[in-house]
């Protein structure tokens, strides 16, 4: 089974609404970023009590008269008001009436769904919420939560060059960074934060200081991950199409040939491709210093691998560090990066003392759900990217994960919030919410998307018209492949939540 999801170009402007929408969305994004940016409901999401206002009167809901500069506050110029626990909770019956009118399939299949008040956890809408279903890429939310809890949002992964056992040999050692760039390190970037050209230059300097003058041989150590590099749950067609690729603990561009590429075939051996690029950069940097690099790269023989404390054989000559785990989680949620998600799962397993394999990664992620006290006895995970129907997760479980991120006691999970795609603006929601039936949610709905041939899902959070924070998850299964109305149904339903003053 292959995934049907393909990124579409942003829809053209439509009439008067289309002309004003970009300005409206940008302003809403500025405000929306202020509201949930890494803060808990108590005290972060909660602010001082404010006077009751009519529905849709909050500053996050107003059409701006002027475009606010970043950091200049809300449409009124005085800054966005904090959310308040005094904001009314939607009436469940009134909310259900609206959602049942929009949450309808286009053809075969059915939708399940859950909406909760983020502060209290009260369930405001429940349609088969405990029924486990294929969640597609919504399962990435589980990996995001596990990575932030296990690794921490500030953790970075190191790619090192160490001295080999044989004089004149250097070993490129993967440490989990698959967002390496081929050029200089880019400190302000996530993709390409660590660059192989910078690593090569530092390696040349270290070799010069060590008095190395002869030809240098480059070896590759990518032994951090164990087990098969491909999950048995993945379709060969998906692999051939480039939805995912064999997993290694180092790669360029999240295992893409070019940094801007998001579709098409991937390198079969991303680690070796990175090593060969490093060898070329090392040869270029070494030429001016009189160093030559032997052609070809081989993997380190198992007999030459030694413990980290073995001395000279593992002396670190140079290293570069990745962007933080928090930044990488933002990227995998915003772009729904399958490769990065699976690698992050294996890094969670390694940090948990489990084998850094597919099975170890799944076990480590599910363990984190249990520690979050999210019931997972019914949950089944065959991978972490969501490429298979064998994954079975309920809307209630996904909603609970989002609630843990917005209002739970573990503040490390707040780092995931900024990575949720914003309706009509960013990531996999960037080209959606552009017509009159969904414009009420533009700039307000923040949600992880998920799409397979017969599956569509949307899980996230939104501030309603009364200023109440709601979390939600909607999952459609057994749908008619290619039926455009299913995506529209989810977007209209999330927009109804954003516009709700349901009392």
């Amino acid at each position: 089974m292959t995934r049907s999801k393909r990124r579409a170009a942003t829809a053209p402007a439509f009439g008067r609404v289309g002309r004003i929408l970009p300005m409206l969305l940008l302003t809403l994004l500025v405000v929306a970023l202020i509201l949930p940016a890494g803060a808990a409901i108590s005290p972060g999401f909660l602010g001082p009590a404010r006077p009751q206002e009519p529905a849709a009167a909050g500053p996050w809901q107003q059409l701006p008269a002027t475009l606010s500069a970043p950091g200049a506050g809300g449409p009124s110029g005085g800054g966005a008001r904090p959310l308040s626990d005094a904001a009314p909770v939607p009436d469940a019956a009134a909310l259900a009436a609206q959602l049942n009118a929009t949450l309808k399939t286009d053809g075969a299949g059915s939708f399940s769904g859950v909406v909760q008040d983020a502060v209290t956890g009260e369930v405001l809408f429940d349609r088969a919420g405990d029924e486990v279903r294929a969640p597609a890429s919504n399962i990435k939310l589980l990996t995001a939560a596990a990575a932030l809890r296990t690794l921490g949002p500030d953790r970075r992964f190191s790619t090192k060059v160490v001295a080999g056992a044989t004089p004149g040999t250097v070993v490129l050692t993967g440490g989990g960074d698959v967002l390496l760039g081929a050029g200089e390190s880019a400190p302000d970037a996530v993709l390409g934060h660590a660059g192989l050209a910078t690593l090569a230059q530092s390696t040349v300097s270290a070799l010069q200081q060590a008095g190395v003058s002869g030809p240098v041989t480059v070896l590759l150590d990518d032994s951090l991950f164990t087990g098969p590099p491909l999950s048995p749950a993945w379709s060969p067609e998906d692999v051939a199409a480039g939805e995912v690729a064999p997993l290694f603990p180092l790669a360029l561009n999240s295992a893409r040939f070019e940094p801007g590429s998001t579709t098409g075939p991937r390198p079969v051996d991303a680690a070796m491709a990175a090593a060969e690029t490093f060898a070329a950069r090392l040869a270029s940097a070494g030429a001016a210093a009189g160093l030559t690099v032997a052609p070809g790269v081989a993997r380190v023989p198992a007999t030459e691998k030694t413990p980290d404390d073995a001395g000279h054989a593992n002396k670190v000559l140079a290293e570069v560090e990745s962007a933080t785990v928090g930044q990488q989680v933002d990227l995998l949620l915003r772009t729904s990066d399958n490769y990065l998600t699976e690698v992050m799962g294996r890094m969670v397993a390694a940090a948990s003392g489990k084998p850094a394999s597919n099975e170890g990664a799944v076990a480590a992620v599910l363990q984190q759900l249990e520690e979050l006290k999210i019931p997972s006895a019914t949950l089944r995970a065959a991978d972490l990217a969501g490429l298979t129907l064998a994954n079975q997760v309920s809307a209630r479980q996904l909603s609970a994960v989002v609630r843990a991120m917005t209002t739970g006691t573990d503040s490390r999970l707040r780092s995931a919030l900024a990575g949720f795609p914003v309706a009509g603006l960013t990531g996999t929601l960037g080209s959606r919410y552009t017509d009159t039936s969904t414009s009420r949610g533009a700039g307000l709905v923040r949600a992880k998307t998920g799409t397979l041939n017969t599956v569509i899902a949307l899980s996230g959070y939104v501030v309603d018209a009364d200023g109440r924070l709601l979390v939600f998850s909607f999952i459609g299964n057994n749908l008619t492949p290619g039926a455009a109305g299913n995506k529209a149904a989810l977007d209209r339903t999330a927009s109804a939540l954003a516009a709700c003053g349901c009392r």
Side-chain angles (χ1 to χ4, degrees), residues 72-81:
S76 65
R81 300 182 190 179

Side-chain angles (χ1 to χ4, degrees), residues 171-187:
V171 182
L172 178 66
T173 306
D177 186 1
V178 296
L179 302 179
L180 291 164
E184 302 279 346
S185 295

Side-chain angles (χ1 to χ4, degrees), residues 234 244 247 338-346 358 383-385:
W234 293 336
V244 74
L247 299 172
N338 297 324
Y339 196 90
L340 180 58
T341 301
E342 293 288 347
V343 166
M344 195 65 72
R346 293 199 179 202
N358 181 72
D383 78 349
L384 298 175

Side-chain angles (χ1 to χ4, degrees), residues 102 117 180 196 218 261 274 277 296 333 353 381 398 411 423 449-450 471 491:
T102 57
D117 178 62
L180 291 164
L196 292 182
V218 177
S261 175
T277 299
L333 290 177
L398 289 171
S411 61
T449 58
V471 296
D491 293 347

Side-chain angles (χ1 to χ4, degrees), residues 17 70 91 103 159 242 247 367 373 379 472:
V17 174
D91 177 75
L103 197 59
T159 303
L247 299 172
Q367 177 182 323
K373 302 190 184 307
L379 191 153
F472 63 88

Side-chain angles (χ1 to χ4, degrees), residues 51-427:
Q52 290 294 316
E53 297 177 347
W60 53 86
Q61 297 279 345
Q62 294 298 307
L63 183 69
T66 60
L67 183 64
S68 299
S76 65
R81 300 182 190 179
L83 303 182
S84 171
D85 57 350
V89 177
D91 177 75
L95 180 62
Q98 291 200 26
L99 301 192
N100 285 327
T102 57
L103 197 59
K104 297 178 179 179
T105 62
D106 180 4
S110 63
F111 282 115
S112 65
V114 166
V115 177
Q116 291 179 271
D117 178 62
V119 180
T120 65
E122 178 185 353
V123 176
L124 305 174
F125 176 80
D126 187 344
R127 182 193 292 181
D130 288 320
E131 178 182 300
V132 292
R133 296 180 157 214
S137 286
N138 274 205
I139 201 171
K140 289 182 172 73
L141 291 168
L142 279 57
T143 308
L148 294 170
R149 281 177 54 83
T150 305
L151 301 167
D154 298 324
R155 170 80 178 273
R156 298 178 188 270
F157 305 141
S158 291
T159 303
K160 300 178 182 179
V161 176
V162 302
T166 303
T169 299
V170 298
V171 182
L172 178 66
T173 306
D177 186 1
V178 296
L179 302 179
L180 291 164
E184 302 279 346
S185 295
D188 295 329
V190 179
L191 185 69
H193 185 91
L196 292 182
T198 297
L199 184 62
Q201 292 162 4
S202 299
T203 302
V204 168
S205 297
L207 292 172
Q208 284 182 300
Q209 293 176 8
V212 175
S213 58
V216 176
T217 299
V218 177
L219 297 177
L220 168 65
D221 183 354
D222 58 357
S223 60
L224 179 61
F225 293 171
T226 61
L230 288 172
S231 167
W234 293 336
S235 162
E237 288 84 0
D238 278 356
V239 177
E243 294 291 351
V244 74
L247 299 172
F248 298 96
L250 74 163
L252 287 165
N253 313 315
S254 197
R256 291 289 187 188
F257 288 107
E258 299 294 336
S261 175
T262 57
T263 60
R266 297 173 182 260
V268 175
D269 190 338
M272 184 57 70
E276 290 170 348
T277 299
F278 169 74
R281 297 295 184 269
L282 187 65
S284 178
L291 287 174
T292 59
V293 176
V297 179
R299 283 182 164 84
V300 177
T303 55
E304 290 190 18
K305 293 176 183 177
T306 53
D308 287 343
D309 60 354
H312 177 73
N314 286 280
K315 178 182 178 182
V316 176
L317 301 175
E319 67 179 304
V320 287
E321 290 191 324
S322 71
T324 66
V325 165
Q327 291 170 322
Q328 294 188 58
V329 165
D330 281 357
L331 181 64
L332 76 85
L333 290 177
R334 187 171 67 254
T335 64
S336 202
D337 189 314
N338 297 324
Y339 196 90
L340 180 58
T341 301
E342 293 288 347
V343 166
M344 195 65 72
R346 293 199 179 202
M347 295 303 290
V348 169
S352 303
K354 291 178 168 56
S357 62
N358 181 72
E359 294 77 9
V362 168
V365 168
L366 295 187
Q367 177 182 323
Q368 289 302 312
L369 289 188
E370 290 293 340
E371 293 185 10
L372 281 169
K373 302 190 184 307
I374 297 174
S376 59
T378 60
L379 191 153
R380 297 290 180 268
D383 78 349
L384 298 175
L387 289 170
T388 171
L389 293 175
N391 294 322
Q392 295 286 291
V393 185
S394 72
R396 191 181 305 277
Q397 288 163 334
L398 289 171
S399 179
V401 172
V402 178
R403 183 172 177 244
M405 290 173 171
T406 58
T407 62
T409 58
D410 191 339
S411 61
R412 292 171 296 184
L413 298 182
R414 304 291 183 270
S415 296
L417 296 179
F420 280 66
V422 181
L425 286 167
T426 64

